[in-house]
Each structure stands twice: as structure tokens, then as C-alpha cells.
Amino acid sequence: MEIDLIVLIPLLAILGAIYYYITKKNNYFHDKPIPSLATEPLFGSTRRLMMKKTSFSDFIVDIYNKYPLVKVFGMVDTMQPVFVVRDPELIKKIGVKDFDYFVNHRPVFGNNEDSHNSALFSKTLIAMNDQRWRDMRATLSPAFTGSKMRQMFDLIVECSTNMAKFYKDEIRNNGGRAREHEMKDVFTRYANDVIATCAFGIKVDSLKNADNDFYINGKKMMAFNRPIVMIKMIGFRLLPKLMSFFSLDLFDREQSDYFVEIIRDTLKTRDAHGIVRPDMVHLLMQARKGAMKQQREEEDREEVKGFATVEESDVGKTGKGVEMTELELVAQCLIFFLAGFDTVSTCLTFLAYELTINKDVQDKLYEEIRETSKSLGGGPLTYDAIQGMQYMDMVVSEALRMWSPAPATDRLCVRDYVVDDGDRLKFTIDKGTVVFFPVQGLHLDPQYYPNPHKFDPERFNEENRGKIDPCTYLPFGIGPRNCIGSRFALMEVKAIVYYMLLEFSFEKTPNTQVPLKLAKGFAGMRSEKGVFVEFRPRKKDD
């Protein structure tokens, strides 16, 4: 009995310490003058999401709608106190005006603050903090101006025409009969080829060569629903310092090494032979040497921008920049790959779904595409032509509103911040806590978008777009930490829609799920049963 007690008492003490550790923040909001979601050990307020009872997008909408009359409310994400900001004016203050209090992202996948961390993700722009982030943003910003996108547009057109030709040949070889395809698979392969050529400087054809190494390694890297990845993500949430101590990365070493080797080989070859190619590798090589000059003010005056395109802040326009290490350059290519592989293909998947079930929108967009093609004499699409397609921009903007690939975005509070609305709301967002901007909740709020579940591109026509509060439309984030690649993503999306609709109509099949339901869990936005669409060839007189 005495031996049992000797074992039991320390065990109980350890269990008590663990329980305290995982629940110590659960009462954080009790002394704040704002409502908060209920909490429970380990999960905080997110058990339904963590246990795959709901999708991340639906989770954000549900919690957003729980307190319709408040500007901000609290929740606990596993063990992290989170302020969910619903009020557009407060979102603007935190994301733009008082940005210096919220300069960093939450370190979800490791210790961002350790500049000696060998984990590749920690070297990406999205994971960098404080002055390191400011310097890198200023270094990379000139690579994403309109003129630089124009230089890469021919590479995107090449990938788009290859895809349209592949499906035309497939139908011809199938006796003229159209077949259904799963859109996430289709557009992941397209996005893979675009990123391969634009960000890694190599050509792959993921339609003809379905199992190419680049695509397979990308798929493995993006498989966030694998048990080992889930364990790592929980580890980063609960024991971030321990994960950082062992230099553990979110990505498997095999996939990281594969992409690192590609970039290093490309850099060596180009340096040795003076090869210049209009792609991201070349731009990053210039940025690494500090060779790019800012031409943004002149470009901003001349360029026609899509509604969803975000503006670069003074951080990117006037920052001093920094010379990148080779590993940092590789890391930027990697993050472009991750964003392009998943986010762009997700946008295209849900856009194709909406065009399929809204034939009037598809027909009107096709008419604009046909007119544009005529104006080009049947020649290849140009950057200026795609930028001038107003209805195309309206359609893409509406797709990003209804199906935002990033249902929420976050900021980490780096020093105590007092919220005071001048009325009755006053409290402190403490250093080390997190702020959520519930993007999908805002996008589906009938206060800002009447009949929000209706796919209606006219919300973004010339007359209506001026009535939209910019802080209620955040597909690419807000403020200095918005998405640096919005121009690239938008031209990539528009180019493939142009070429596919020029050749095919998108048609429903018996496998097209209507209404669409989202897969449960927090690992990326995807449909429950896939999005199946038939590519039906257009008649010559269409």
C-alpha cells in the first residue's frame, strides 16, 4: 500500500500539472467586458473543429453569427486566447492604422522568432516576424508589381492553352464524347504546372504525366490530414518551444529536400550560364542581389487592377530590403508553391462549381470571353486584355467572397493594446494573445451583402463596388501583411477560366453535389464529395 502511494502521489501531481497547463488560459476572458465561447480542456472552444464535426469555413461563420450585436468576442483555440473581431472599423484599426501592435502572424507551425531555426517554413515571408519580416517584404515587394506580373503572363498562358488542348484531345480521342472531371484534381494539376514554371523555373505537364515527381511531392507536402501532420500541428500548438528545440518542421524532410534541391540546381545553372527567364526565380535572384528598383508609383497610375487586388503598404514600398540567403530564397519559392498549389486551385474549384450551376453567369462571361478573343484576332490572351475584362473580374471577385480559400486570418499582439470605441467598450488585448479576422463570416453577413448565399457578380459592377466597405471584403487579407501575391493569383485564375470557357461549357453531371457541402476538419477548404463537372465542347457557332 505504501509503495502504491509513493507511485500514485507523484502521478497525481504530474496529471494535475498537465491539467493546469492545458486549462490555465480557459478563463482568460472572464474579466474582459466581452462575451466569449465556452471552453473545455485541451480543445478550448474548438472541439467541434478539431474532432472534424464541422469545416473550418462553417466554424468561422457559426461563431461569427453567435454574437451578432458585438464588435468583438473571445474564444480559446486549444490553449491560445483569441479575440475574434467582427467590426469592420476595428478590423481597420488593428490591421492597418495600429499595425505596429499586431505586426506578426501567430506562430502556428513553429517558433518564428528563432532566426537560426533550420526549419524551412520559418524562413518564409508568412512566418517571419518583426524587422526580419519588414526587410523581407521590402525585398520581395518589387517582384510582385504589375510590370513583373506582365513579364510572367506568357508562362501562365502557355500552361492554360496546354490544359485546354489536353481536354480537347481527350474528347476527340473519346469519340467526341465529353467526360466529367473532378475540379480540385484538374485545377491542382494546372496550379502545379504554373508554379513549377513560374516559381521553380522548370516545365512539367501534370495532365499528360499525371505522376510526375513535382506533382507527387507537392501532393504529399499539402496532405495536412495525414496523422503525422496532425500530430505535428498539435505539437506546435501545445509544445512550440520543444518542437523548435528539435528543429521539427511541418513538412517532411523528403519533400523539403526535393524542392530545395530543385532551386539550388536552378540557381547554379543560371549563375553559371547567365540564363535569364521571365519567372519568379529570376526576380528573386535579382531581389537577392538588391538589383530591383521600385517603379510602383508609376505602375499604380497606369495599371487597371482587379477589385480583389490588394495594395502594397509603405513597408513594401519604402523599406530598405535585405540580401536573402540561399535558404531564404528557396523558402520563398516554397511558400509560393504552397499558396499556388492549394489556394488558387481551391478558388478555381468553387468558381467552376458556381459557373456550372449558374448558367446565366457562365453564358454572360462566355460572351465577354468571345468578344475579347475577337478583339485579339484569335491570338493569345494578353495581360492588358485580361485586366480589361470587367465581367470576368466581377465573377472572380464574387467567387472569392462566397468561397474564400482563407476563411479567417490572424494577427499576434506584440504589445498591450487598448480597445476603446469611445462609447462603452474599453479593454486591453494583452501581448501574446491572438486576433482573428473572421473573413468568411464578414463575406456572408447579409448586413454587408444582401442575400449572401446567392452567387451574384453584379455586387461588383461599376455602380455597386464603390458601396462595399473594403474591411468587409478580405480574400487576400488586410494591411501591410496582406497577400503579396494577389496579382499573380488573380491573373492565374482568370487566364485558365478564359481558355477553358472559350473551348468548353461547364455542365452538371449526376455526381455534381448541389448544394455543395464542405468537408469537415480544419485542413484546407474542400468539398465533401468533390466537385464534378463535364467539359462539353462548344459548337463552332457558339
Side-chain angles (χ1 to χ4, degrees):
M1 183 67 178
E2 186 176 333
I3 294 176
D4 290 342
L5 285 174
I6 292 173
V7 174
L8 184 60
I9 291 173
L11 180 60
L12 290 174
I14 293 171
L15 291 175
I18 292 173
Y19 181 82
Y20 171 77
Y21 176 72
I22 64 177
T23 62
K24 63 182 179 178
K25 298 291 181 66
N26 281 10
N27 295 325
Y28 173 83
F29 291 101
H30 286 191
D31 62 349
K32 301 285 184 186
I34 59 174
S36 60
L37 299 176
T39 61
E40 54 189 314
L42 189 60
F43 296 110
S45 311
T46 62
R47 181 173 61 84
R48 289 182 62 244
L49 183 60
M50 298 292 284
M51 299 302 291
K52 296 187 176 181
K53 301 295 184 184
T54 186
S55 69
F56 184 38
S57 183
D58 289 337
F59 175 78
I60 293 298
V61 173
D62 288 345
I63 65 171
Y64 177 89
N65 291 333
K66 189 173 180 62
Y67 302 109
L69 301 178
V70 306
K71 294 183 177 181
V72 58
F73 63 91
M75 62 173 279
V76 177
D77 185 2
T78 54
M79 300 190 308
Q80 175 71 68
V82 175
F83 292 85
V84 184
V85 183
R86 300 177 79 261
D87 178 59
E89 189 57 38
L90 185 53
I91 289 173
K92 184 177 182 179
K93 286 193 70 176
I94 290 173
V96 182
K97 294 179 180 177
D98 297 327
F99 171 73
D100 287 344
Y101 288 83
F102 301 92
V103 67
N104 299 331
H105 280 303
R106 174 187 182 183
V108 177
F109 302 135
N111 183 3
N112 299 3
E113 297 175 1
D114 182 4
S115 61
H116 301 292
N117 191 341
S118 62
L120 191 60
F121 189 85
S122 70
K123 305 290 189 293
T124 64
L125 180 66
I126 195 171
M128 287 182 172
N129 284 345
D130 304 317
Q131 194 59 43
R132 286 182 71 226
W133 169 78
R134 292 177 185 274
D135 292 342
M136 185 59 73
R137 180 84 184 206
T139 301
L140 295 176
S141 181
F144 288 89
T145 59
S147 68
K148 302 304 187 299
M149 296 302 99
R150 187 188 302 272
Q151 293 171 22
M152 279 190 284
F153 190 66
D154 287 348
L155 299 176
I156 290 177
V157 166
E158 183 180 358
C159 292
S160 301
T161 54
N162 286 345
M163 180 168 159
K165 183 178 183 303
F166 174 85
Y167 287 113
K168 282 178 66 177
D169 292 344
E170 180 188 71
I171 291 170
R172 184 164 49 249
N173 295 334
N174 194 38
R177 294 184 300 275
R179 293 164 56 179
E180 70 172 9
H181 297 276
E182 202 287 303
M183 294 298 95
K184 181 65 174 176
D185 179 69
V186 167
F187 290 121
T188 298
R189 294 180 184 280
Y190 164 72
N192 181 74
D193 290 0
V194 169
I195 294 299
T197 189
C198 289
F200 286 77
I202 62 174
K203 287 191 177 184
V204 296
D205 191 329
S206 300
L207 293 167
K208 289 183 179 178
N209 182 12
D211 295 325
N212 66 80
D213 288 345
F214 196 91
Y215 181 75
I216 294 302
N217 278 282
K219 286 271 285 187
K220 288 179 180 178
M221 184 168 276
M222 293 305 298
F224 290 137
N225 57 345
R226 288 181 297 152
I228 184 62
V229 178
M230 299 290 285
I231 291 170
K232 285 182 180 180
M233 292 178 82
I234 293 172
F236 286 129
R237 295 276 184 93
L238 302 181
L239 302 165
K241 291 184 179 179
L242 184 65
M243 300 291 282
S244 179
F245 177 79
F246 287 108
S247 292
L248 292 173
D249 204 351
L250 179 67
F251 310 115
D252 291 347
R253 180 61 60 85
E254 179 185 352
Q255 277 76 59
S256 294
D257 289 348
Y258 172 81
F259 289 111
V260 168
E261 186 177 348
I262 286 177
I263 290 296
R264 283 179 170 163
D265 287 348
T266 301
L267 294 177
K268 287 179 184 176
T269 302
R270 293 192 183 187
D271 278 335
H273 301 285
I275 296 172
V276 174
R277 188 173 182 268
D279 57 18
M280 193 58 65
V281 174
H282 176 66
L283 293 177
L284 289 176
M285 288 174 70
Q286 287 186 299
R288 184 183 178 190
K289 300 171 184 175
M292 282 196 291
K293 295 180 180 179
Q294 292 282 13
Q295 302 168 323
R296 190 176 301 278
E297 287 187 10
E298 182 179 342
E299 290 169 359
D300 281 353
R301 285 195 299 269
E302 294 179 356
E303 187 191 2
V304 177
K305 304 182 188 70
F307 182 84
T309 307
V310 292
E311 297 292 339
E312 185 58 273
S313 72
D314 288 341
V315 172
K317 291 180 180 179
T318 61
K320 65 178 182 178
V322 66
E323 279 201 22
M324 281 184 282
T325 66
E326 183 180 70
L327 194 59
E328 284 174 340
L329 189 151
V330 172
Q332 307 325 312
C333 287
L334 178 65
I335 201 65
F336 301 152
F337 171 78
L338 297 176
F341 193 88
D342 188 63
T343 308
V344 169
S345 60
T346 296
C347 171
L348 282 164
T349 296
F350 290 96
L351 173 54
Y353 167 78
E354 292 295 347
L355 291 173
T356 301
I357 65 171
N358 294 280
K359 293 294 289 183
D360 57 331
V361 174
Q362 182 180 162
D363 291 344
K364 186 172 180 178
L365 179 57
Y366 171 65
E367 285 304 313
E368 184 183 55
I369 289 171
R370 190 168 68 165
E371 288 302 313
T372 302
S373 180
K374 284 181 181 178
S375 72
L376 294 169
L381 184 63
T382 65
Y383 184 78
D384 289 331
I386 199 71
Q387 293 296 83
M389 294 179 69
Q390 294 183 359
Y391 195 67
M392 172 76 82
D393 189 64
M394 290 159 57
V395 169
V396 173
S397 298
E398 176 69 343
L400 288 168
R401 180 196 67 83
M402 279 193 68
W403 305 100
S404 181
T409 187
D410 65 64
R411 297 291 186 273
L412 180 70
C413 184
V414 297
R415 61 183 194 266
D416 290 355
Y417 179 78
V418 176
V419 173
D420 186 352
D421 69 352
D423 189 8
R424 290 178 294 179
L425 185 64
K426 186 174 182 178
F427 64 92
T428 299
I429 298 178
D430 301 301
K431 177 182 177 181
T433 55
V434 170
V435 170
F436 263 13
F437 300 146
V439 175
Q440 194 68 3
L442 292 160
H443 287 187
L444 296 181
D445 189 334
Q447 178 182 353
Y448 309 122
Y449 302 98
N451 197 4
H453 293 282
K454 175 179 171 58
F455 188 77
D456 182 12
E458 295 303 325
R459 302 178 201 274
F460 296 92
N461 65 28
E462 199 68 36
E463 179 184 355
N464 292 331
R465 65 200 312 174
K467 303 173 186 175
I468 296 173
D469 183 339
C471 295
T472 67
Y473 186 73
L474 306 173
F476 292 106
I478 186 172
R481 287 208 81 140
N482 59 26
C483 175
I484 197 172
S486 66
R487 279 182 174 86
F488 184 90
L490 288 169
M491 72 175 182
E492 183 180 351
V493 167
K494 292 175 182 180
I496 191 59
V497 170
Y498 174 92
Y499 277 105
M500 290 300 288
L501 281 188
L502 191 60
E503 298 292 345
F504 311 101
S505 63
F506 292 176
E507 305 291 340
K508 284 193 293 186
T509 79
N511 291 320
T512 308
Q513 185 185 48
V514 181
L516 199 62
K517 294 182 180 178
L518 296 178
K520 296 176 173 61
F522 63 88
M525 191 173 78
R526 60 196 188 282
S527 60
E528 184 181 60
K529 297 182 178 180
V531 176
F532 289 91
V533 172
E534 178 186 293
F535 297 149
R536 187 174 298 170
R538 294 191 183 275
K539 297 176 183 178
K540 293 297 182 181
D541 58 349
D542 274 1

